[in-house]
Amino acid sequence: MGGQYSKRKEVEGRLVGELPKDARFMLQELVDTEETYVKDLEHVCKHHLALYRSGNDIPTVIRGRERDLFGNIECLMQFHRDMFVPKVRRCVKNPAEVGACFADHIKDLDQYSQFFGDTARQEELLLDPSVKGFFQPIQAELKDMMNLQGYLMRPFQRLTRYRQLLEGLMKHMEPVLDDKGKENLSFALRLVKYQLRHSNDLRSLALLRGFDGNISEQGTLLLQEEFSVTEEKKAKKKPRRVFLFEQTILFSKPGANSSSPSFEYKASMKMSDIGLTETVGDNLCKFLIWYRKQKSKNTIILEAKSEGVKAEWVHEIRSLLEVQATRLRERLASQRSVDSLATPTPGVVIKTDVKPTRRQKSEP
């Protein structure tokens, strides 16, 4: 055991010595900014969250809405303070473990998705004059340079800084890392990018207005993006914010008020009802979806801002349709085994239990 330990320490020391100056600087910055981040989260919990929980003169608009305002910020603080900071500190002497710091805490880092999901309407609450007035005395008393809104932006800012630092470390450390170290670092970067994108998706979804159904019944939000949308036999393109869920694709119209962004619900289609055409003419940014059950084959052309966005959406939609086809085959096979006399009708599709909207709109 002693020999193995000595050998590992020797490798660690050699790796530190081989690191470029920029990589060593980034590792130290990762530690320093992590400690500052934890202090900021502790500050919110100790002062703002404690004031809210005191129950004294809480504004009506946030009464009973701790989760909407603070999310799980206390859990984030405890994770970073008790688990993540100690691991990050060790990376200064053992740089090869920086990727593993993130890779070993996939479930813990998923708390960010919960935070952004819970606090999707946080901004509109913080802009309420009564809420500003409620928390203002703390800022004045502590002579704080940052208000509560600034502190509650820290989780998003922290993920952004993780991405920047990990991209830099990938560039400077890759030549001196072994395969495992490279794999962990690459995975850490993908994990952080996913959390950042997912947080943006949830923020955009919170701006949706006018949808009468239950969003939670549409399944997981997979993608959201702005497209130019053209309906069959209509030449006019329309800007649409499109949300792709496991069970539904939803179209919305960007609001006219730029100072208060929002998306007005226009239409939705069940994934069980659509077909996909992956290419449209010579335009590499276009794809087409259509109703499988309607004789008119009503089609909608979506034009993405880039080939990469189009490819991502086509891949995700194709995957959803393939899953549906697999479930259909399994369902039909099960029906045959239960009742050999049952003859399945060609073209049957699985009907997912999506709550219908009360207001039907025909144009996306």
PDB file of all heavy atoms in Angstrom, residues 78-97:
ATOM      1  N   GLN A  78     -25.213  23.799   0.920  1.00  0.00           N
ATOM      2  CA  GLN A  78     -24.673  22.692   1.713  1.00  0.00           C
ATOM      3  C   GLN A  78     -23.831  21.748   0.864  1.00  0.00           C
ATOM      4  O   GLN A  78     -22.778  21.275   1.312  1.00  0.00           O
ATOM      5  CB  GLN A  78     -25.828  21.945   2.377  1.00  0.00           C
ATOM      6  CG  GLN A  78     -26.537  22.756   3.458  1.00  0.00           C
ATOM      7  CD  GLN A  78     -27.846  22.133   3.908  1.00  0.00           C
ATOM      8  OE1 GLN A  78     -28.327  21.166   3.313  1.00  0.00           O
ATOM      9  NE2 GLN A  78     -28.444  22.675   4.964  1.00  0.00           N
ATOM     10  N   PHE A  79     -24.274  21.472  -0.345  1.00  0.00           N
ATOM     11  CA  PHE A  79     -23.500  20.595  -1.230  1.00  0.00           C
ATOM     12  C   PHE A  79     -22.139  21.207  -1.550  1.00  0.00           C
ATOM     13  O   PHE A  79     -21.100  20.544  -1.426  1.00  0.00           O
ATOM     14  CB  PHE A  79     -24.267  20.320  -2.519  1.00  0.00           C
ATOM     15  CG  PHE A  79     -23.392  19.876  -3.666  1.00  0.00           C
ATOM     16  CD1 PHE A  79     -22.675  18.691  -3.593  1.00  0.00           C
ATOM     17  CD2 PHE A  79     -23.269  20.664  -4.802  1.00  0.00           C
ATOM     18  CE1 PHE A  79     -21.839  18.286  -4.650  1.00  0.00           C
ATOM     19  CE2 PHE A  79     -22.444  20.270  -5.849  1.00  0.00           C
ATOM     20  CZ  PHE A  79     -21.726  19.079  -5.773  1.00  0.00           C
ATOM     21  N   HIS A  80     -22.129  22.466  -1.949  1.00  0.00           N
ATOM     22  CA  HIS A  80     -20.858  23.098  -2.337  1.00  0.00           C
ATOM     23  C   HIS A  80     -19.936  23.283  -1.128  1.00  0.00           C
ATOM     24  O   HIS A  80     -18.727  23.053  -1.230  1.00  0.00           O
ATOM     25  CB  HIS A  80     -21.134  24.444  -3.018  1.00  0.00           C
ATOM     26  CG  HIS A  80     -21.573  24.311  -4.437  1.00  0.00           C
ATOM     27  ND1 HIS A  80     -20.687  24.245  -5.488  1.00  0.00           N
ATOM     28  CD2 HIS A  80     -22.813  24.195  -4.976  1.00  0.00           C
ATOM     29  CE1 HIS A  80     -21.362  24.131  -6.627  1.00  0.00           C
ATOM     30  NE2 HIS A  80     -22.649  24.086  -6.346  1.00  0.00           N
ATOM     31  N   ARG A  81     -20.499  23.663   0.000  1.00  0.00           N
ATOM     32  CA  ARG A  81     -19.676  23.901   1.191  1.00  0.00           C
ATOM     33  C   ARG A  81     -19.094  22.607   1.751  1.00  0.00           C
ATOM     34  O   ARG A  81     -17.886  22.537   2.069  1.00  0.00           O
ATOM     35  CB  ARG A  81     -20.527  24.582   2.258  1.00  0.00           C
ATOM     36  CG  ARG A  81     -19.771  24.916   3.555  1.00  0.00           C
ATOM     37  CD  ARG A  81     -20.750  25.297   4.650  1.00  0.00           C
ATOM     38  NE  ARG A  81     -21.647  24.170   4.997  1.00  0.00           N
ATOM     39  CZ  ARG A  81     -22.744  24.308   5.728  1.00  0.00           C
ATOM     40  NH1 ARG A  81     -23.106  25.497   6.184  1.00  0.00           N
ATOM     41  NH2 ARG A  81     -23.490  23.244   6.002  1.00  0.00           N
ATOM     42  N   ASP A  82     -19.916  21.570   1.855  1.00  0.00           N
ATOM     43  CA  ASP A  82     -19.502  20.359   2.569  1.00  0.00           C
ATOM     44  C   ASP A  82     -18.838  19.317   1.673  1.00  0.00           C
ATOM     45  O   ASP A  82     -18.037  18.509   2.157  1.00  0.00           O
ATOM     46  CB  ASP A  82     -20.714  19.715   3.253  1.00  0.00           C
ATOM     47  CG  ASP A  82     -21.380  20.654   4.247  1.00  0.00           C
ATOM     48  OD1 ASP A  82     -20.701  21.589   4.723  1.00  0.00           O
ATOM     49  OD2 ASP A  82     -22.573  20.458   4.541  1.00  0.00           O
ATOM     50  N   MET A  83     -19.142  19.326   0.373  1.00  0.00           N
ATOM     51  CA  MET A  83     -18.646  18.266  -0.501  1.00  0.00           C
ATOM     52  C   MET A  83     -17.769  18.778  -1.640  1.00  0.00           C
ATOM     53  O   MET A  83     -16.693  18.233  -1.896  1.00  0.00           O
ATOM     54  CB  MET A  83     -19.839  17.479  -1.080  1.00  0.00           C
ATOM     55  CG  MET A  83     -20.704  16.824  -0.012  1.00  0.00           C
ATOM     56  SD  MET A  83     -22.169  16.015  -0.707  1.00  0.00           S
ATOM     57  CE  MET A  83     -21.402  14.686  -1.623  1.00  0.00           C
ATOM     58  N   PHE A  84     -18.225  19.822  -2.308  1.00  0.00           N
ATOM     59  CA  PHE A  84     -17.540  20.223  -3.537  1.00  0.00           C
ATOM     60  C   PHE A  84     -16.268  21.028  -3.265  1.00  0.00           C
ATOM     61  O   PHE A  84     -15.231  20.787  -3.894  1.00  0.00           O
ATOM     62  CB  PHE A  84     -18.494  21.016  -4.432  1.00  0.00           C
ATOM     63  CG  PHE A  84     -18.130  20.969  -5.889  1.00  0.00           C
ATOM     64  CD1 PHE A  84     -18.122  19.770  -6.581  1.00  0.00           C
ATOM     65  CD2 PHE A  84     -17.805  22.116  -6.579  1.00  0.00           C
ATOM     66  CE1 PHE A  84     -17.793  19.705  -7.919  1.00  0.00           C
ATOM     67  CE2 PHE A  84     -17.480  22.074  -7.929  1.00  0.00           C
ATOM     68  CZ  PHE A  84     -17.472  20.865  -8.600  1.00  0.00           C
ATOM     69  N   VAL A  85     -16.332  21.971  -2.338  1.00  0.00           N
ATOM     70  CA  VAL A  85     -15.151  22.789  -2.049  1.00  0.00           C
ATOM     71  C   VAL A  85     -13.955  21.940  -1.625  1.00  0.00           C
ATOM     72  O   VAL A  85     -12.840  22.126  -2.132  1.00  0.00           O
ATOM     73  CB  VAL A  85     -15.469  23.859  -0.978  1.00  0.00           C
ATOM     74  CG1 VAL A  85     -14.183  24.460  -0.409  1.00  0.00           C
ATOM     75  CG2 VAL A  85     -16.310  24.971  -1.584  1.00  0.00           C
ATOM     76  N   PRO A  86     -14.120  20.983  -0.691  1.00  0.00           N
ATOM     77  CA  PRO A  86     -12.960  20.162  -0.313  1.00  0.00           C
ATOM     78  C   PRO A  86     -12.344  19.410  -1.497  1.00  0.00           C
ATOM     79  O   PRO A  86     -11.109  19.295  -1.586  1.00  0.00           O
ATOM     80  CB  PRO A  86     -13.554  19.175   0.711  1.00  0.00           C
ATOM     81  CG  PRO A  86     -14.729  19.899   1.280  1.00  0.00           C
ATOM     82  CD  PRO A  86     -15.308  20.665   0.129  1.00  0.00           C
ATOM     83  N   LYS A  87     -13.190  18.911  -2.406  1.00  0.00           N
ATOM     84  CA  LYS A  87     -12.652  18.185  -3.563  1.00  0.00           C
ATOM     85  C   LYS A  87     -11.921  19.122  -4.508  1.00  0.00           C
ATOM     86  O   LYS A  87     -10.862  18.784  -5.053  1.00  0.00           O
ATOM     87  CB  LYS A  87     -13.793  17.471  -4.312  1.00  0.00           C
ATOM     88  CG  LYS A  87     -14.175  16.143  -3.714  1.00  0.00           C
ATOM     89  CD  LYS A  87     -14.968  15.312  -4.713  1.00  0.00           C
ATOM     90  CE  LYS A  87     -15.151  13.892  -4.234  1.00  0.00           C
ATOM     91  NZ  LYS A  87     -15.816  13.035  -5.231  1.00  0.00           N
ATOM     92  N   VAL A  88     -12.476  20.301  -4.726  1.00  0.00           N
ATOM     93  CA  VAL A  88     -11.854  21.257  -5.630  1.00  0.00           C
ATOM     94  C   VAL A  88     -10.498  21.703  -5.100  1.00  0.00           C
ATOM     95  O   VAL A  88      -9.529  21.871  -5.855  1.00  0.00           O
ATOM     96  CB  VAL A  88     -12.789  22.468  -5.857  1.00  0.00           C
ATOM     97  CG1 VAL A  88     -12.051  23.605  -6.564  1.00  0.00           C
ATOM     98  CG2 VAL A  88     -14.002  22.060  -6.697  1.00  0.00           C
ATOM     99  N   ARG A  89     -10.400  21.885  -3.801  1.00  0.00           N
ATOM    100  CA  ARG A  89      -9.125  22.295  -3.201  1.00  0.00           C
ATOM    101  C   ARG A  89      -8.032  21.272  -3.478  1.00  0.00           C
ATOM    102  O   ARG A  89      -6.872  21.628  -3.721  1.00  0.00           O
ATOM    103  CB  ARG A  89      -9.294  22.485  -1.695  1.00  0.00           C
ATOM    104  CG  ARG A  89     -10.035  23.757  -1.296  1.00  0.00           C
ATOM    105  CD  ARG A  89     -10.280  23.789   0.191  1.00  0.00           C
ATOM    106  NE  ARG A  89     -10.998  24.984   0.621  1.00  0.00           N
ATOM    107  CZ  ARG A  89     -11.755  25.035   1.696  1.00  0.00           C
ATOM    108  NH1 ARG A  89     -11.911  23.958   2.473  1.00  0.00           N
ATOM    109  NH2 ARG A  89     -12.370  26.158   2.029  1.00  0.00           N
ATOM    110  N   ARG A  90      -8.396  19.989  -3.430  1.00  0.00           N
ATOM    111  CA  ARG A  90      -7.395  18.932  -3.650  1.00  0.00           C
ATOM    112  C   ARG A  90      -6.891  18.916  -5.089  1.00  0.00           C
ATOM    113  O   ARG A  90      -5.828  18.354  -5.365  1.00  0.00           O
ATOM    114  CB  ARG A  90      -7.986  17.570  -3.276  1.00  0.00           C
ATOM    115  CG  ARG A  90      -8.229  17.400  -1.777  1.00  0.00           C
ATOM    116  CD  ARG A  90      -8.407  15.938  -1.400  1.00  0.00           C
ATOM    117  NE  ARG A  90      -9.662  15.398  -1.900  1.00  0.00           N
ATOM    118  CZ  ARG A  90     -10.802  15.409  -1.212  1.00  0.00           C
ATOM    119  NH1 ARG A  90     -10.838  15.953   0.011  1.00  0.00           N
ATOM    120  NH2 ARG A  90     -11.903  14.897  -1.716  1.00  0.00           N
ATOM    121  N   CYS A  91      -7.660  19.506  -6.003  1.00  0.00           N
ATOM    122  CA  CYS A  91      -7.261  19.478  -7.414  1.00  0.00           C
ATOM    123  C   CYS A  91      -6.034  20.329  -7.711  1.00  0.00           C
ATOM    124  O   CYS A  91      -5.368  20.128  -8.728  1.00  0.00           O
ATOM    125  CB  CYS A  91      -8.418  19.952  -8.299  1.00  0.00           C
ATOM    126  SG  CYS A  91      -9.790  18.797  -8.371  1.00  0.00           S
ATOM    127  N   VAL A  92      -5.735  21.288  -6.830  1.00  0.00           N
ATOM    128  CA  VAL A  92      -4.543  22.108  -7.037  1.00  0.00           C
ATOM    129  C   VAL A  92      -3.295  21.234  -6.995  1.00  0.00           C
ATOM    130  O   VAL A  92      -2.349  21.420  -7.762  1.00  0.00           O
ATOM    131  CB  VAL A  92      -4.462  23.230  -5.971  1.00  0.00           C
ATOM    132  CG1 VAL A  92      -3.148  24.000  -6.101  1.00  0.00           C
ATOM    133  CG2 VAL A  92      -5.651  24.171  -6.118  1.00  0.00           C
ATOM    134  N   LYS A  93      -3.307  20.247  -6.081  1.00  0.00           N
ATOM    135  CA  LYS A  93      -2.171  19.329  -5.983  1.00  0.00           C
ATOM    136  C   LYS A  93      -2.343  18.093  -6.854  1.00  0.00           C
ATOM    137  O   LYS A  93      -1.367  17.390  -7.138  1.00  0.00           O
ATOM    138  CB  LYS A  93      -1.970  18.909  -4.524  1.00  0.00           C
ATOM    139  CG  LYS A  93      -1.525  20.051  -3.619  1.00  0.00           C
ATOM    140  CD  LYS A  93      -1.239  19.548  -2.212  1.00  0.00           C
ATOM    141  CE  LYS A  93      -0.744  20.684  -1.331  1.00  0.00           C
ATOM    142  NZ  LYS A  93      -0.443  20.217   0.058  1.00  0.00           N
ATOM    143  N   ASN A  94      -3.581  17.822  -7.253  1.00  0.00           N
ATOM    144  CA  ASN A  94      -3.842  16.653  -8.104  1.00  0.00           C
ATOM    145  C   ASN A  94      -4.748  17.076  -9.271  1.00  0.00           C
ATOM    146  O   ASN A  94      -5.941  16.783  -9.288  1.00  0.00           O
ATOM    147  CB  ASN A  94      -4.511  15.545  -7.282  1.00  0.00           C
ATOM    148  CG  ASN A  94      -4.680  14.268  -8.083  1.00  0.00           C
ATOM    149  OD1 ASN A  94      -4.114  14.135  -9.183  1.00  0.00           O
ATOM    150  ND2 ASN A  94      -5.467  13.344  -7.579  1.00  0.00           N
ATOM    151  N   PRO A  95      -4.186  17.780 -10.254  1.00  0.00           N
ATOM    152  CA  PRO A  95      -4.976  18.336 -11.359  1.00  0.00           C
ATOM    153  C   PRO A  95      -5.759  17.290 -12.152  1.00  0.00           C
ATOM    154  O   PRO A  95      -6.800  17.609 -12.731  1.00  0.00           O
ATOM    155  CB  PRO A  95      -3.911  19.002 -12.248  1.00  0.00           C
ATOM    156  CG  PRO A  95      -2.750  19.237 -11.341  1.00  0.00           C
ATOM    157  CD  PRO A  95      -2.756  18.109 -10.374  1.00  0.00           C
ATOM    158  N   ALA A  96      -5.264  16.053 -12.160  1.00  0.00           N
ATOM    159  CA  ALA A  96      -5.929  15.011 -12.952  1.00  0.00           C
ATOM    160  C   ALA A  96      -7.335  14.715 -12.443  1.00  0.00           C
ATOM    161  O   ALA A  96      -8.154  14.130 -13.157  1.00  0.00           O
ATOM    162  CB  ALA A  96      -5.092  13.730 -12.943  1.00  0.00           C
ATOM    163  N   GLU A  97      -7.649  15.136 -11.210  1.00  0.00           N
ATOM    164  CA  GLU A  97      -8.940  14.831 -10.606  1.00  0.00           C
ATOM    165  C   GLU A  97      -9.995  15.913 -10.821  1.00  0.00           C
ATOM    166  O   GLU A  97     -11.128  15.776 -10.347  1.00  0.00           O
ATOM    167  CB  GLU A  97      -8.759  14.607  -9.091  1.00  0.00           C
ATOM    168  CG  GLU A  97      -7.968  13.363  -8.735  1.00  0.00           C
ATOM    169  CD  GLU A  97      -8.636  12.099  -9.257  1.00  0.00           C
ATOM    170  OE1 GLU A  97      -9.863  11.964  -9.069  1.00  0.00           O
ATOM    171  OE2 GLU A  97      -7.942  11.274  -9.863  1.00  0.00           O
TER     172      GLU A  97
END
